[in-house]
């Protein structure tokens, strides 16, 4: 098992939601954590504060990782703060519901940058500096596996992340492992917005469209994150954490 104590974990897009939960879970395991958000200093400060309350060393870096410059700032600040990086979690992303026919150039650019280029930029820069035996974990979505109405560009970018995971596992081995979690709808600002656009609450969505009837919490994804980083024989895998949503599909419609 990969020992997490004292490791440096960088989690992109961790000012709130899934990223914050993952950062805090690493903090609980004794990691030193670098949190990151694009704009919201207040949310970033809150993540850092919560990690420090758990007794962990933590810093926050405002940087837009959908740009090469932003990814570079994050790496530089992580190295300055803790002297190295062992774990990178590519979590930052956006999801915008739009029927494909209305998906214009601007939306395409936003999805390309936030959901795909961000993973390419951070991974390329970080992989060169990460310690041997380290781990990269991406957060994609079951929308990258199973089509969902209104999420074509988002789903296509997440599918690209799933495929990239396998290529990176191949190319970065044996020095680094690369895996991905593909969550179903999770109880976050982003996760709540999607079912609500379809006129259904996340609670009702979970009752109707999952096998467990249970809303996924960010902590569920965070638990899988530390497990996947710990298992040293795991690489190139995409694991769905989705309350069985992808199996049930829309059978109960
Ligand atoms: P969220 O909107 O609640 O939080 C996203 C965080 O990422 C924020 O802190 C935001 O500042 C940051 N961020 C976004 N773009 C960034 C950028 N370019 N640079 C730096 N920071 C950036 O979202 P969430 O629900 O926690 O989602 C996190 C990840 O999980 C995303 O990649 C999302 O696609 C994926 N996901 C979410 C769900 C869900 O239902 N919530 C389901 C499947 C996958």
């Amino acid at each position: 098992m990969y020992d997490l104590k004292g490791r440096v974990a960088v989690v992109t897009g961790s000012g709130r939601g899934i990223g914050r939960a993952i950062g805090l879970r690493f903090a609980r395991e004794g990691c030193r954590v670098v949190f990151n958000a694009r704009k919201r200093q207040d949310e970033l400060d809150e993540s850092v504060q919560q990690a420090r309350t758990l007794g962990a060393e933590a810093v926050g870096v405002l940087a837009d990782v959908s740009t090469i410059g932003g990814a570079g700032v994050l790496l530089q600040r992580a190295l300055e703060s803790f002297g190295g990086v062992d774990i990178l979690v590519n979590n930052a992303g956006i999801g915008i519901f739009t029927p494909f026919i209305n998906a214009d150039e601007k939306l395409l650019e936003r999805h390309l940058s936030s959901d795909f280029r961000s993973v390419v930029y951070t991974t390329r820069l970080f992989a060169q500096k990460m310690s041997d035996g380290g781990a990269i974990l991406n957060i994609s979505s079951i929308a990258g596996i199973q089509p969902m109405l209104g999420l074509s560009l988002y789903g296509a970018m997440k599918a690209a992340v799933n495929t990239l995971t396998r290529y990176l596992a191949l190319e970065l081995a044996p020095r680094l492992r690369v895996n991905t979690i593909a969550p179903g709808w999770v109880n976050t600002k982003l996760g709540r917005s999607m079912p609500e656009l379809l006129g259904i609450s996340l609670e009702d969505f979970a009752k109707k469209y999952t096998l467990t009837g249970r809303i996924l919490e960010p902590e569920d994804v965070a638990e899988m994150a530390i497990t996947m980083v710990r298992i040293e024989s795991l690489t190139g895998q995409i694991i769905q954490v989705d309350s069985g949503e992808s199996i049930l599909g829309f059978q109960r419609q």
Side-chain angles (χ1 to χ4, degrees), residues 14-35:
S14 44
R16 60 174 187 246
I18 296 171
R20 176 187 281 173
I22 292 175
L24 293 177
R25 192 66 186 82
F26 279 117
R28 256 191 216 107
E29 293 301 316
C31 291
R32 294 171 284 166
V33 184
V34 180
F35 290 90

Side-chain angles (χ1 to χ4, degrees), residues 173-196:
R175 218 172 66 71
L176 300 171
R177 292 180 291 115
V178 186
N179 291 292
T180 287
I181 301 175
W185 293 123
V186 184
N187 189 9
T188 69
K189 193 173 173 190
L190 171 66
R192 286 197 162 273
S193 69
M194 299 282 181
E196 277 163 14

Side-chain angles (χ1 to χ4, degrees), residues 43-155:
E43 293 183 346
L44 190 58
D45 290 346
E46 178 60 28
S47 293
V48 170
Q49 198 43 53
Q50 286 190 26
R52 288 182 181 159
T53 305
L54 293 169
E57 285 182 63
V59 295
V61 181
L62 266 192
D64 180 351
V65 294
S66 70
T67 67
I68 296 179
V73 166
L74 182 59
L75 174 62
Q76 193 189 339
R77 291 284 308 281
L79 294 175
E80 281 166 11
S81 304
F82 297 127
V85 175
D86 305 295
I87 300 157
L88 168 67
V89 182
N90 287 313
N91 165 79
I94 56 160
I96 301 168
F97 178 93
T98 313
F100 177 75
I101 215 76
N102 300 333
D104 58 13
E105 205 47 36
K106 198 171 161 206
L107 190 79
L108 174 60
E109 185 52 39
R110 286 188 72 187
H111 275 299
L112 261 174
S113 293
S114 301
D115 294 328
F116 187 65
R117 287 197 179 109
S118 59
V119 180
V120 172
Y121 294 154
T122 49
T123 303
R124 203 167 58 199
L125 290 176
F126 277 73
Q128 297 170 45
K129 301 285 178 188
M130 285 172 70
S131 61
D132 288 358
I136 296 171
L137 184 70
N138 302 315
I139 307 300
S140 67
S141 165
I142 59 165
I145 297 168
Q146 169 187 308
M148 294 182 178
L149 280 175
L151 292 177
S152 53
L153 297 186
Y154 175 76

Side-chain angles (χ1 to χ4, degrees), residues 12 78 145 168 171 176 218 237:
T12 71
I145 297 168
L168 293 177
E171 287 204 18
L176 300 171
Q237 301 306 306

